[in-house]
Amino acid sequence: MNIAVVGLNHKTADVELREKLAFNGPKLEEGLLSIKAIPGIKEAAILSTCNRVEIYLNVADLQQAFASLKDFLVQFFDLKRDSLDTALYLHEDMMAVKHIFRVASSLDSMVLGEPQILGQLKDAFDFALEKKATGALLNRLLKKSISVAKRVRTETRIASSAVSISFAAVELAKKIFTDLSGKSFMLLGAGEMAELAAKHMMNNGVREIAVANRTFERGCELAHEFNGKAIKFEEFPDKLVDTDILICSTGAPAYVLLKEHMQKAMKARKQKPVFLIDISVPRNIDPAINDMDNVYLYNVDDLNDVVDTNKQERQKEAEKAEAIVEEEIETFKKWLSTLDSVPAVVALREKAEAIRKEELERFLNRFPGLGEKERKAIEGLSSAIMNKLIHGPTIALKDDGEDKDIMIAVIKRLYGLNGEDDEKK
């Protein structure tokens, strides 16, 4: 058996090619079953995301499977063959294992430490299981990959710091207020980044939200999404008195929140701290506001600085994660090596069982008068003796010692496995 990964990702293929190779909708089932039907492919699972398309395989012959799979992809997606020449990669055996562990742990992701890939891998595994496309080897490998990823997230801080502008805004707010629950929040403008920031705020305890947008209808839509309230744009300065956190992203060409607005609001707030984030370019909040006491104003560059610092922190944590991956590869390798002895263990048990049944039948035929109770007792005794006799050699076969191959050969010879007895006869 050979483990292989065939695929492409954001490092080897542009988005145009990744789009063409996406196994989405009905193509996922059709593709998976077609790949499983390729001669020499014993097991298969497909991971298809916006940043990668990878096929995990257990194959008889690696190079033959790679060539067959490439032919299949060209035909299935109606591609030019040379479009895959530099984009498609093949990882074999333990390098394939390492790759899957790293993918699951988000060490191979575009954003280091991102959480989505683990859920996507679980979905890919569940789908392959449902379609009976995987067997003992890939089942074990994919389960192990998921457990490795969980260990990485538990034992490192690779995913703990914000690497998006919107989430960095939440981190900064927490530094000022510590606890965001009960804080009031205003969204000034309804841009995509502001919306993302609002979602993060709500997920971190903010309960009261107001949306002020130049297009009132759009503001109403967004307010409804967050169970908040829409206010008319020209009324937002009056609402500052009740606002603890404000995120501004209006797209206006000039300042919309002026220092006099904030001076009036702070007087009414009795100098209670307020946190302002201006993610507009050009900026929409007068930077002079930052000189006021108890007003904390950050712009998009400030947030980028936070993100850059956090990315460096994640990179340091990635080194710890890589060490965990290497450790888990050794564990998987040991499990893999036990598969070498499985045929010998099975043959030993089958031979012992055949002898037991043969001798038991002969004995019972000599004593036809035995009752059912006695016959069952004797049968149980024969099974117990057989199990005790083969227990030692079975343990020896499963042991992952350096002399494993010698041990397998010796036990086969001693117990006449692989037809040695027949040859002598």
Side-chain angles (χ1 to χ4, degrees):
M1 66 183 71
N2 294 292
I3 300 169
V5 175
V6 177
L8 49 79
N9 62 21
H10 58 281
K11 299 173 190 170
T12 66
D14 59 23
V15 66
E16 187 178 350
L17 182 56
R18 299 202 304 273
E19 283 173 350
K20 289 179 181 174
L21 260 78
F23 285 94
N24 47 23
K27 278 193 171 178
L28 178 58
E29 180 174 359
E30 185 186 352
L32 181 62
L33 297 181
S34 299
I35 290 169
K36 181 69 169 44
I38 294 174
I41 292 182
K42 301 173 184 176
E43 303 176 54
I46 297 174
L47 174 66
S48 182
T49 74
C50 58
N51 284 327
R52 70 181 65 243
V53 176
E54 292 185 339
I55 302 160
Y56 305 138
L57 300 163
N58 173 13
V59 299
D61 184 295
L62 281 169
Q63 294 306 322
Q64 185 181 349
F66 183 61
S68 300
L69 198 54
K70 193 172 180 180
D71 290 340
F72 164 77
L73 293 173
V74 168
Q75 187 176 5
F76 190 69
F77 290 107
D78 192 21
L79 300 170
K80 290 182 179 177
R81 191 175 179 80
D82 60 3
S83 67
L84 297 178
D85 285 348
T86 56
L88 212 57
Y89 47 74
L90 167 66
H91 297 301
E92 308 171 16
D93 297 326
M94 297 317 297
M95 290 307 294
V97 173
K98 181 176 183 177
H99 178 80
I100 300 173
F101 284 2
R102 294 187 77 254
V103 167
S105 305
S106 75
L107 291 168
D108 197 54
S109 294
M110 184 180 285
V111 178
L112 193 63
E114 55 94 1
Q116 289 83 9
I117 188 64
L118 181 55
Q120 291 163 333
L121 183 67
K122 284 179 182 174
D123 291 344
F125 180 35
D126 288 344
F127 190 78
L129 271 178
E130 182 188 327
K131 299 303 170 187
K132 299 185 181 355
T134 54
L137 185 59
L138 282 192
N139 287 346
R140 179 81 176 205
L141 175 58
L142 293 173
K143 281 181 185 173
K144 187 67 176 172
S145 302
I146 292 166
S147 72
V148 171
K150 288 179 178 174
R151 190 184 159 197
V152 164
R153 297 184 80 80
T154 303
E155 297 183 18
T156 74
R157 290 174 48 80
I158 195 165
S160 61
S161 50
V163 291
S164 69
I165 294 291
S166 52
F167 196 48
V170 177
E171 278 202 344
L172 282 175
K174 281 184 174 177
K175 286 182 180 176
I176 294 167
F177 295 113
T178 307
D179 182 9
L180 300 186
S181 59
K183 298 300 176 191
S184 54
F185 174 61
M186 182 190 292
L187 204 53
L188 195 55
E192 184 180 352
M193 201 177 292
E195 185 177 344
L196 275 174
K199 285 179 181 174
H200 287 308
M201 289 289 179
M202 298 298 283
N203 290 337
N204 280 272
V206 171
R207 289 289 172 265
E208 194 179 324
I209 180 169
V211 181
N213 193 53
R214 289 191 187 278
T215 307
F216 186 66
E217 290 74 16
R218 171 62 183 143
C220 289
E221 283 177 22
L222 200 54
H224 179 71
E225 185 179 334
F226 296 114
N227 199 24
K229 61 181 178 183
I231 57 177
K232 293 190 175 175
F233 191 80
E234 57 272 20
E235 294 176 359
F236 88 83
D238 297 332
K239 303 296 180 185
L240 290 174
V241 62
D242 299 319
T243 302
D244 299 312
I245 302 167
L246 179 143
I247 293 183
C248 178
S249 176
T250 69
Y255 303 146
V256 297
L257 176 53
L258 307 177
K259 192 169 184 178
E260 51 263 37
H261 292 148
M262 217 55 231
Q263 285 171 329
K264 185 179 175 184
M266 290 304 288
K267 187 175 179 182
R269 286 175 62 81
K270 297 181 179 174
Q271 300 301 315
K272 275 172 52 185
V274 62
F275 177 52
L276 309 175
I277 302 175
D278 186 358
I279 53 179
S280 314
V281 178
R283 288 175 291 178
N284 290 165
I285 299 179
D286 183 355
I289 288 175
N290 205 29
D291 297 334
M292 296 171 60
D293 291 338
N294 296 318
V295 178
Y296 301 90
L297 170 62
Y298 293 86
N299 60 37
V300 73
D301 280 355
D302 298 325
L303 296 178
N304 275 326
D305 289 343
V306 173
V307 168
D308 287 343
T309 301
N310 288 344
K311 281 181 178 175
Q312 290 170 18
E313 288 299 316
R314 284 196 179 197
Q315 200 59 50
K316 288 179 186 173
E317 293 300 308
E319 293 174 12
K320 298 176 189 173
E322 296 283 6
I324 290 173
V325 166
E326 291 296 335
E327 192 180 309
E328 294 290 351
I329 288 172
E330 289 305 311
T331 305
F332 187 76
K333 200 186 289 183
K334 284 182 182 176
W335 173 80
L336 211 54
S337 70
T338 64
L339 298 182
D340 296 339
S341 60
V342 169
V345 171
V346 172
L348 177 63
R349 174 159 284 279
E350 287 178 345
K351 181 154 189 173
E353 181 67 12
I355 292 172
R356 184 189 74 82
K357 286 184 176 176
E358 183 181 340
E359 293 302 319
L360 179 66
E361 185 178 0
R362 188 179 299 168
F363 177 83
L364 293 177
N365 286 339
R366 287 173 56 194
F367 301 97
L370 288 173
E372 187 61 25
K373 185 177 178 181
E374 288 79 8
R375 292 171 72 88
K376 284 189 174 177
I378 292 168
E379 187 171 354
L381 177 66
S382 69
S383 293
I385 292 172
M386 182 199 77
N387 286 333
K388 286 196 174 181
L389 282 173
I390 66 172
H391 178 71
T394 301
I395 295 299
L397 283 170
K398 291 181 177 178
D399 184 60
D400 190 36
E402 291 182 358
D403 58 348
K404 187 181 184 74
D405 292 340
I406 297 173
M407 186 62 67
I408 292 173
V410 167
I411 289 177
K412 281 183 176 178
R413 182 72 180 272
L414 284 174
Y415 288 90
L417 307 177
N418 286 338
E420 284 88 343
D421 282 354
D422 294 338
E423 289 174 10
K424 288 177 183 175
K425 289 175 184 174

